[in-house]
Amino acid sequence: MAKTAQQPVLVIMGVSGSGKSTVAGVLAGKLGWELAEGDDLHPEANVAKMHSGQALSDEDRWPWLGIISDWIREHVEAGTPAIITCSALKKKYRDVLRGEGVVFVFLQGSKDKISDRLASRHGHFMPPSLLESQFDALEEPTEEENHISLCVSASPAEEAEEVIERLGLRALGAGTGVTAS
C-alpha cells in the first residue's frame, strides 16, 4: 500500500456476519470519524428480496454500489476521513468503490465461524440461509487493491486496534496523514 496525503475512507468489507458493522462502529468511536452503514443505503426492493431469502443479482447491486461510491467520493473530495460498511464481495464491485484515498478492510473468517455468528444474530434482514451464496460470490482482494485483511478471530475492539495500528490512523484533531505499509 502506498502513502496517502490524507487519512482514508475505510470500506469495511466481508461476508454477512463477519463483523463489519461492529468493527466499523468501534473504529468510528475510537477515531471520531463519520460512519455509514452500507446496508442502510440499499433500495427497499433489495432489502425485501434478501429478507425473503433471495440472493441479490448484480443488477440489483449496481444502484446500491453507486450510492456508496457517491458517499465515498464526497468524503474523499472533502478530505474527510470516514468509514462505510459494504460487503464488496466481488472485485468488479470494489472497482466501482475504489480510488485514491480509499482503503478496503477485509474481515475474513471461516464459513463455520461466520455461520455461528449469524445464528446468534437477531433482527437483521440477511438470513443465515444466504451465507453460502455470499461465500460463493466472494473474491478476496488482490495485490492491486488498496486493502488490508484481518482474521475475525479476535474481539471487535482488538480488530479495530489492529486496523488503526496497521494503517497508522489518528483520531480527528490528532494530526493529519496516514502511513500505510
Side-chain angles (χ1 to χ4, degrees):
M1 261 183 279
K3 287 186 177 184
T4 52
Q6 68 184 44
Q7 294 202 78
V9 171
L10 301 179
V11 178
I12 311 300
M13 62 161 289
V15 298
S16 184
S18 61
K20 296 182 298 288
S21 297
T22 304
V23 172
V26 173
L27 277 168
K30 288 180 176 287
L31 296 169
W33 293 7
E34 182 180 348
L35 169 63
E37 179 62 53
D39 284 345
D40 292 344
L41 303 176
H42 269 294
E44 286 185 36
N46 286 7
V47 174
K49 189 171 184 177
M50 287 184 284
H51 190 47
S52 72
Q54 298 176 59
L56 296 180
S57 67
D58 286 350
E59 292 73 31
D60 296 325
R61 284 187 175 88
W62 294 127
W64 173 63
L65 291 166
I67 293 166
I68 292 173
S69 178
D70 289 345
W71 188 94
I72 291 169
R73 188 182 68 253
E74 288 170 12
H75 286 80
V76 169
E77 288 175 359
T80 305
I83 302 165
I84 190 163
T85 61
C86 177
S87 53
L89 298 176
K90 295 182 180 181
K91 183 181 180 300
K92 65 184 176 181
Y93 303 160
R94 293 187 300 275
D95 287 346
V96 171
L97 305 177
R98 71 181 177 151
E100 186 68 31
V102 178
V103 177
F104 292 97
V105 177
F106 175 40
L107 302 180
Q108 59 185 143
S110 71
K111 197 178 302 182
D112 288 340
K113 179 151 184 85
I114 303 294
S115 182
D116 289 346
R117 286 181 169 198
L118 279 176
S120 64
R121 186 165 78 175
H122 303 286
H124 194 275
F125 60 79
M126 177 75 169
S129 61
L130 288 181
L131 182 60
E132 187 72 32
S133 69
Q134 293 236 315
F135 272 98
D136 289 346
L138 178 63
E139 297 170 359
E140 294 190 10
T142 63
E143 293 275 330
E144 72 184 39
E145 298 173 87
N146 195 12
H147 81 283
I148 62 171
S149 296
L150 279 92
C151 183
V152 296
S153 59
S155 73
E158 291 168 324
E159 291 170 9
E161 280 301 323
E162 184 177 345
V163 171
I164 290 168
E165 182 179 310
R166 287 177 63 186
L167 295 177
L169 304 176
R170 296 188 190 110
L172 286 179
T176 59
V178 60
T179 304
S181 53

